[in-house]
Amino acid sequence: MKADLPIVIIPGIQGHAEWMTPAIAALRQTREVRTFSLNVEDGQGDPFAQWVTEIDKAINQLGSERAAIIGVSFGGLVAMHYAATRPERTAALVLVSSPSPRMTLGQSEALLVHRPLSLLPLFPLFVARALQRLLPEVWTAIDAWPSRLRFLATYGWQVARRPMHPWKSARWVREWQGRDLAAECTRIEAPTHIITGDDALDRVVPTSSTRDYLSLIPGATAVTFPRTGHIGLVTKPAA
C-alpha cells in the first residue's frame, strides 16, 4: 500500500473497534485511520448495506475519494463486500484472519446462531472455551510473564467494558450465511492481501479458510505473521 493511503478498518464479530486499539494506534503512526462499530446497524434492515454506508462516511471523513479497507475476522466479509460493491472507493483490500464466505458452521456454532439467547446460561463455558483458544497464542506471541499479564489485563478490560451481544452477532452470521458472498469476490478489482497467523495458533478461524480467498479473489497475495494466531493484530500490532 502507498505510504499515504488512508485506512478504514472494520472490527470482528464482537462489533467493537476498541478491541483492536493496539493495531489502530500502530497504524495511526504512519497514516490516517477511521473505524466504526458494527453495532451502528439498526437491527432490522440489511446490515451489510448499512455497513457500506458507514464505510462511505468514514472515507468521506478522511477527506479522500478512496481508502485501503482492512477487515478483521468477520469484518473481512464486510470489507470484501464493500470492495465488490464500491470498487471506485477501494484502493486496496486487506483481510486479516477472515473466514471464507464458503465456510460452513459447525454444529455448536449453528446452534449458537439460531438460538443465541437460550445458550446464555452456558456463558461461563464459552468464556472458558475462548480462553482455551487464545491463551496458547498469547503465550507464544509475548515472551515474558509480566508482559503477558499486562496484555491479558488490558485486553480483558476492553472485552469486559464492551462485551459482544450474542443476538446481534447471531443475526449478522445468519445474514452472511444467507447470501452468496463468494460470487462477489470475482468483482473485486483492488489489490488484495491476506494475513493469517500460524496454522496451529489460530483456533478461531482455520487459516485454510482465510487462504480460500486466494482462489476466490483474482491476484490476491498472502502472508503469515509468525508466532501469532487469531489476534496477532493486538499481540503484535507493530507487525
Side-chain angles (χ1 to χ4, degrees):
M1 289 190 298
K2 293 181 179 179
D4 59 348
L5 193 63
I7 288 172
V8 177
I9 184 168
I10 305 167
I13 193 67
Q14 83 290 338
H16 301 292
E18 289 81 5
W19 287 32
M20 309 183 298
T21 295
I24 294 171
L27 289 169
R28 282 180 171 157
Q29 293 181 18
T30 61
R31 63 193 71 210
E32 291 292 316
V33 180
R34 291 291 185 277
T35 187
F36 60 92
S37 169
L38 296 184
N39 295 291
V40 296
E41 62 96 10
D42 63 14
Q44 299 182 26
D46 179 355
F48 280 86
Q50 295 179 58
W51 293 328
V52 165
T53 299
E54 289 300 317
I55 299 171
D56 281 340
K57 289 180 182 177
I59 296 175
N60 292 339
Q61 291 169 0
L62 289 164
S64 178
E65 292 297 321
R66 308 170 78 219
I69 311 299
I70 301 178
V72 177
S73 194
F74 176 84
L77 296 165
V78 180
M80 60 82 35
H81 174 70
Y82 185 85
T85 56
R86 292 283 198 275
E88 74 282 359
R89 306 212 73 180
T90 307
L93 176 64
V94 181
L95 305 176
V96 185
S97 299
S98 300
S100 165
R102 298 191 287 202
M103 180 177 173
T104 57
L105 303 179
Q107 184 176 3
S108 60
E109 288 82 4
L111 180 62
L112 180 61
V113 163
H114 292 288
R115 298 175 56 194
L117 296 181
S118 67
L119 296 181
L120 283 179
L122 299 177
F123 180 72
L125 294 179
F126 286 106
V127 172
R129 184 181 180 187
L131 289 173
Q132 182 183 33
R133 288 176 168 182
L134 296 178
L135 284 178
E137 175 179 356
V138 173
W139 176 276
T140 303
I142 303 173
D143 290 326
W145 267 109
S147 298
R148 290 170 184 151
L149 294 175
R150 280 194 300 271
F151 171 82
L152 290 171
T154 302
Y155 191 62
W157 174 239
Q158 288 287 8
V159 171
R161 287 180 63 199
R162 297 174 178 85
M164 68 183 297
H165 303 285
W167 52 94
K168 288 185 178 181
S169 299
R171 175 174 176 268
W172 301 341
V173 173
R174 290 196 300 270
E175 288 285 342
W176 155 33
Q177 295 283 295
R179 61 176 67 210
D180 189 1
L181 290 176
E184 295 184 4
C185 287
T186 60
R187 294 157 49 192
I188 294 174
E189 301 174 1
T192 301
H193 200 47
I194 313 301
I195 297 175
T196 68
D198 287 334
D199 294 352
L201 289 177
D202 193 334
R203 303 182 179 186
V204 179
V205 174
T207 57
S208 59
S209 181
T210 304
R211 294 194 187 101
D212 191 33
Y213 284 102
L214 292 171
S215 63
L216 290 170
I217 300 176
T221 58
V223 67
T224 298
F225 282 1
R227 299 183 63 198
T228 72
H230 196 69
I231 57 171
L233 79 166
V234 291
T235 58
K236 291 186 175 293

